[in-house]
Amino acid sequence: MEIKKLEFKKQSSTALTDQNLRKALRNTTDRFRASRKRAYDELEGFEDLRNRAREIKKETIENLPIYLGMLEGNVIKTGGKVHWAQDGEEACRIIVEIARENGVRSVVKSKSMATEEIELNHALEEAGIKAVETDLGEYIIQLAKERPSHIIAPAIHKSKDDISRLFSEKLSIPYYTEPEQLTRVARERLRSEFLSADMGVSGVNFAVAETGTIVVVENEGNARLSTTVPRVHVAVMGIEKVIPRYGDLSIFLPVLVRSATGQKISTYVSFITGPKRKSDMDGPEEFHLVIVDNGRAKILASEETRESLYCIRCGACLNICPVYRQVGGHSYGWVYSGPIGAIITPQLLGAEKAPELPFASSLCGACKDVCPVKIDFPKVLLELRKRVVEGENKDGRGGEAGLLERLLVRLWRISMESKTAYSLLSTLSYFLQFPWLSKNRKLSSLPYPFSEWTNDRDFPAVAKIPFRKRWKEISKI
């Protein structure tokens, strides 16, 4: 499916008027943040784990061909098959071919951002194969025909009433008001899908190079059923999901789970090494691992933004982000949202498809502070902003930064480099603000280009006595 240019400004402006959405985002992200903090405080040496996780990721990404080759060899050695896909279209074609070769009519899927990215459900439906999401949140948004709005809580934007109406309409059931009734309906419907499915598709949280083991982390048990009940299991991963050693999981599992949900460990952690063996009671007869590039090699080639590939998809950066917490995931226009979406999407789709996303940040750095692998989000965002501006200039279209903005930035730079110019500008700003100053001493409506700020929020009034002067007086006391 062709992806059009993403319109973050337009979609976020709409989202800001939705009070129910903002309430839902605030409630859920506050709960995630509190749980993460509690889990962080309980675990002695958590910072050391984060440092070690970053070191391992750095080592892995810098030696990616070696570890991917090792992973491929060990998956084959344990009876599995490995497929390489240059892009999403090729990945979908491979999976559809596997399904056709095995006479598959229905597929159950566990939550996977990689399959959302390549739009696998769409490809399966076009091939006449039924695909059912089995994670409750993914099941809800599949019924609603929407994209996930959070990495680990895809239906975060929907209230209980929204889901009640959706289930009643799509599943032809009464309008239930209790969450227990709704989850019982979903469980009953999904149980029959597990038992009748010919193929299960999962994502991959980690793929261990030295053993060929893939690791799937979840809380509902649907991934365990998707990977063991159907006779064919297909796992889909981006090239960055490989880790060198089995022992590295003792680092990554605690930082992933505590950063994502604040749990000590998730309810289910599945370690899958090849298909079912003769001695196994259950498991798939075939195991396929599809390793997808889809733009990641280009990120790998960039020294400035390479660490974007360190991400382990915990969602902690979304929960802390002051922008995401106000506008939600759908404003970002694609699969990935929040700070990780702001840096990954323009690199995977191309800056021309997502030129606004690198600017969807206050650069406060809170995302870097909570990231379990310490991705330097502000540094990557600034590099991507530079590319957007410079790239469009090369095309002769003037760039995202217009002439007026460039003049203002130059003026700001001059004032910051000269004490005299800064003092003059501060004094001038104090007097120039009076036509727009409201009774509450706020600037609520400024002319263009400052209206880009005051359209959505107030601007504090310029003080008569600047802070540096007040500080001198205070220091004398």
Side-chain angles (χ1 to χ4, degrees):
M1 186 179 293
E2 185 184 358
I3 298 171
K4 297 179 180 176
K5 185 176 179 181
L6 308 184
E7 296 185 331
F8 177 81
K9 285 183 184 176
K10 182 180 177 183
Q11 289 170 314
S12 58
S13 295
T14 304
L16 285 170
T17 64
D18 187 340
Q19 295 304 318
N20 290 332
L21 170 66
R22 296 174 71 181
K23 182 181 177 184
L25 290 169
R26 190 168 54 250
N27 289 344
T28 307
T29 55
D30 279 352
R31 193 165 63 250
F32 279 140
R33 290 167 63 187
S35 300
R36 180 196 173 276
K37 184 179 185 310
R38 188 168 55 250
Y40 182 101
D41 293 341
E42 285 174 357
L43 182 62
E44 191 175 346
F46 194 57
E47 276 303 308
D48 294 337
L49 285 179
R50 290 177 68 203
N51 290 331
R52 183 61 186 137
R54 180 176 173 84
E55 288 171 4
I56 296 169
K57 272 292 181 182
K58 185 172 186 293
E59 175 207 350
T60 310
I61 296 300
E62 289 179 354
N63 298 281
L64 202 53
I66 295 173
Y67 289 119
L68 286 173
M70 191 186 300
L71 174 69
E72 179 184 34
N74 286 317
V75 169
I76 293 171
K77 197 182 294 182
T78 55
K81 296 179 182 176
V82 177
H83 310 264
W84 298 87
Q86 192 69 34
D87 53 30
E89 190 177 337
E90 186 177 8
C92 289
R93 189 165 60 247
I94 290 168
I95 297 166
V96 168
E97 284 173 4
I98 294 169
R100 284 177 172 156
E101 286 169 3
N102 285 278
V104 171
R105 291 170 300 175
S106 66
V107 172
V108 283
K109 287 181 68 241
S110 65
K111 186 154 68 64
S112 157
M113 296 306 291
T115 60
E116 290 282 353
E117 178 186 320
I118 64 175
E119 302 202 9
L120 179 59
N121 284 0
H122 182 69
L124 290 170
E125 286 170 12
E126 280 198 335
I129 299 167
K130 180 183 178 184
V132 180
E133 296 287 351
T134 60
D135 171 89
L136 181 57
E138 289 282 347
Y139 182 61
I140 291 167
I141 63 168
Q142 185 183 30
L143 288 175
K145 299 185 184 303
E146 295 175 354
R147 292 186 190 277
S149 58
H150 190 283
I151 287 177
I152 62 168
I156 189 175
H157 57 292
K158 291 204 172 295
S159 67
K160 184 188 67 178
D161 288 339
D162 292 335
I163 297 166
S164 297
R165 280 193 295 274
L166 180 70
F167 275 27
S168 179
E169 178 190 342
K170 299 289 184 180
L171 303 178
S172 302
I173 61 170
Y175 180 90
Y176 290 131
T177 56
E178 296 302 321
E180 292 79 5
Q181 293 172 305
L182 296 168
T183 52
R184 189 183 307 119
V185 169
R187 190 182 302 118
E188 289 170 356
R189 298 294 177 104
L190 291 174
R191 179 70 62 175
S192 63
E193 299 291 352
F194 285 122
L195 296 175
S196 62
D198 307 297
M199 188 166 93
V201 175
S202 75
V204 175
N205 289 103
F206 305 103
V208 183
E210 72 171 1
T211 61
T213 303
I214 69 157
V215 182
V216 180
V217 180
E218 50 144 350
N219 276 317
E220 298 178 16
N222 63 300
R224 178 75 58 85
L225 286 168
S226 298
T227 57
T228 54
V229 176
R231 54 190 167 84
V232 180
H233 172 205
V234 177
V236 185
M237 60 173 272
I239 57 175
E240 79 280 16
K241 289 299 182 76
V242 66
I243 58 173
R245 298 159 291 268
Y246 206 82
D248 295 333
L249 291 169
S250 65
I251 305 292
F252 283 109
L253 286 175
V255 296
L256 170 63
V257 177
R258 287 174 187 260
S259 298
T261 57
Q263 295 168 280
K264 292 179 180 175
I265 190 69
S266 59
T267 310
Y268 296 87
V269 180
S270 299
F271 301 84
I272 301 165
T273 309
K276 173 184 176 182
R277 298 175 182 80
K278 287 182 180 177
S279 57
D280 291 338
M281 294 286 290
D282 50 27
E285 296 166 8
E286 289 187 19
F287 171 72
H288 298 262
L289 180 61
V290 181
I291 303 176
V292 185
D293 181 331
N294 208 29
R296 288 165 173 79
K298 196 168 62 177
I299 302 176
L300 182 65
S302 168
E303 193 174 336
E304 293 81 10
T305 64
R306 187 179 299 153
E307 63 183 291
S308 310
L309 297 176
Y310 295 1
C311 178
I312 58 174
R313 307 287 192 265
C314 69
C317 62
L318 280 68
N319 302 330
I320 199 76
C321 177
V323 177
Y324 176 88
R325 281 164 53 81
Q326 295 298 323
V327 302
H330 288 165
S331 296
Y332 293 78
W334 200 46
V335 178
Y336 303 106
S337 56
I340 190 61
I343 65 171
I344 284 285
T345 303
Q347 297 186 79
L348 293 180
L349 296 183
E352 72 283 0
K353 289 278 181 69
E356 295 174 350
L357 289 187
F359 299 87
S361 168
S362 65
L363 296 179
C364 66
C367 41
K368 179 184 176 183
D369 292 341
V370 300
C371 177
V373 289
K374 299 191 172 182
I375 295 174
D376 192 341
F377 285 91
K379 187 192 83 173
V380 177
L381 285 166
L382 287 173
E383 171 61 25
L384 295 175
R385 289 181 183 189
K386 179 183 164 192
R387 290 182 188 178
V388 169
V389 174
E390 291 183 347
E392 296 212 354
N393 282 338
K394 285 174 187 172
D395 294 337
R397 288 182 284 134
E400 281 293 305
L403 179 62
L404 182 57
E405 184 176 340
R406 291 165 191 274
L407 288 172
L408 288 171
V409 169
R410 183 161 295 182
L411 181 62
W412 176 83
R413 181 179 175 180
I414 292 171
S415 69
M416 289 297 111
E417 291 176 343
S418 164
K419 185 179 177 182
T420 304
Y422 182 79
S423 298
L424 183 63
L425 186 64
S426 298
T427 305
L428 194 62
S429 300
Y430 174 74
F431 288 106
L432 287 176
Q433 70 179 335
F434 282 114
W436 296 278
L437 196 60
S438 62
K439 291 180 180 177
N440 63 357
R441 306 295 296 171
K442 299 280 187 183
L443 297 166
S444 305
S445 176
L446 288 172
Y448 183 82
F450 305 105
S451 57
E452 293 292 307
W453 178 282
T454 55
N455 282 343
D456 296 310
R457 77 215 86 169
D458 294 337
F459 197 87
V462 180
K464 184 176 183 179
I465 303 174
F467 176 74
R468 62 185 184 286
K469 190 172 181 181
R470 289 172 58 197
W471 180 250
K472 282 183 181 176
E473 293 172 357
I474 292 169
S475 300
K476 292 176 184 173
I477 298 174

